[in-house]
Amino acid sequence: MAFDVDAVSQALPGRFLLWLEQTDSTMRDAARLADAGCPHGAVVGAEHQTAGQGRHGRSWHSEPGAGLYFSVVLRLGLPNENLPIVTLASGLAVAEALAQFSGLAVDLRWPNDVLVGQKKISGILLQQQQEALICGIGINVNQAGFPPEIRHLATSLLLETGRIFPREPLLAAALQSLDRHLEVLQQQGRTAILRLFARASSYVSGRRVVVEQGDQIVRGVTEGLDEDGFLILRRDDGKRELILAGGLRPDAAE
Ligand code: BTN
């Protein structure tokens, strides 16, 4: 079904919202909008991405018309060291919107993968563009399946519930939730976001994980977040390590 962008605009009056039939990546479109001076909160989305970008240089599977693929230009006026907290806030925002919209139990894997069970239902990519941030969000909504190479990692609202979901109200809910969580960050500070994230994520404390950092693999048990939003890991050799980036997965030996 064609995406009704007017329905989203009606729910979010005054929001700059551009919806494309096809693009390479909404990250690139949003970067161009940011360079052209678009306002905070401007959104560009697409029905189909031919070169959807994921974290760590991976690609993002973007089946036409099945998911939500969009990027939001953020002008928060916060110093750069807040980037990890904005990353956590964006994950929280999407997780909350998805849980409320679908009724599913949703988990967060640091820093901002949104999971149902062990499978990813949404991924978020944050990139700096001059003084703006681009927050790219992919949500798997009505995918009936995934290519074999990601089938064991990815899920969608349809696969989890057996129902087809309208994407417009979910987009509006995700954007409103993002606004709310960024407001919490700006008004109550980073500790409020850290607290919310620790409550929403089963990965923050006491979880045996494997962390892949390039070709290095570290194993250990998570011990919370530091004040900047980085993950504290008690490695199996007893040393404490701050995880700044890298892919996390549960340790099979858990
Ligand atoms: C991840 O690897 O988890 C991040 C995935 C981010 C995907 C979204 S889809 C919309 C936006 N455009 C892109 O090319 N990537 C992000």
Side-chain angles (χ1 to χ4, degrees), residues 42-74:
V43 178
V44 55
E47 287 299 88
H48 181 204
Q49 295 186 118
T50 54
Q53 302 168 19
R55 290 173 60 227
H56 310 301
R58 298 196 190 105
S59 60
W60 184 256
H61 178 70
S62 310
E63 183 188 327
L68 282 170
Y69 319 114
F70 61 101
S71 296
V72 189
V73 178
L74 304 178

Side-chain angles (χ1 to χ4, degrees), residues 126-242:
L126 259 136
Q127 288 177 352
Q128 190 110 35
Q129 181 69 20
Q130 318 267 25
E131 77 299 344
L133 284 177
I134 312 293
C135 178
I137 300 176
I139 304 178
N140 299 331
V141 186
N142 294 324
Q143 285 90 343
F146 289 93
E149 61 279 12
I150 57 168
R151 202 166 285 159
H152 59 298
L153 302 172
T155 192
S156 68
L157 289 180
L158 170 59
L159 286 171
E160 293 299 324
T161 64
R163 283 157 50 209
I164 295 277
F165 283 82
R167 290 173 297 146
E168 295 83 352
L170 177 56
L171 174 62
L175 292 170
Q176 282 162 338
S177 183
L178 185 62
D179 287 349
R180 272 197 312 277
H181 284 84
L182 293 173
E183 223 170 87
V184 168
L185 172 59
Q186 289 184 304
Q187 291 178 4
Q188 299 172 39
R190 47 175 67 195
T191 48
I193 295 296
L194 292 172
R195 214 175 311 120
L196 287 172
F197 194 91
R199 208 187 299 153
S201 167
S202 74
Y203 278 78
V204 166
S205 295
R207 190 82 189 252
R208 269 207 72 78
V209 292
V210 179
V211 185
E212 284 177 34
Q213 297 169 314
D215 48 9
Q216 273 211 318
I217 285 191
V218 188
R219 288 191 144 79
V221 177
T222 58
E223 287 192 343
L225 302 171
D226 83 342
E227 69 275 12
D228 292 318
F230 296 124
L231 186 67
I232 302 164
L233 186 75
R234 178 70 60 185
R235 290 182 352 197
D236 286 351
D237 62 8
K239 293 203 178 98
R240 203 164 173 260
E241 179 165 336
L242 211 49

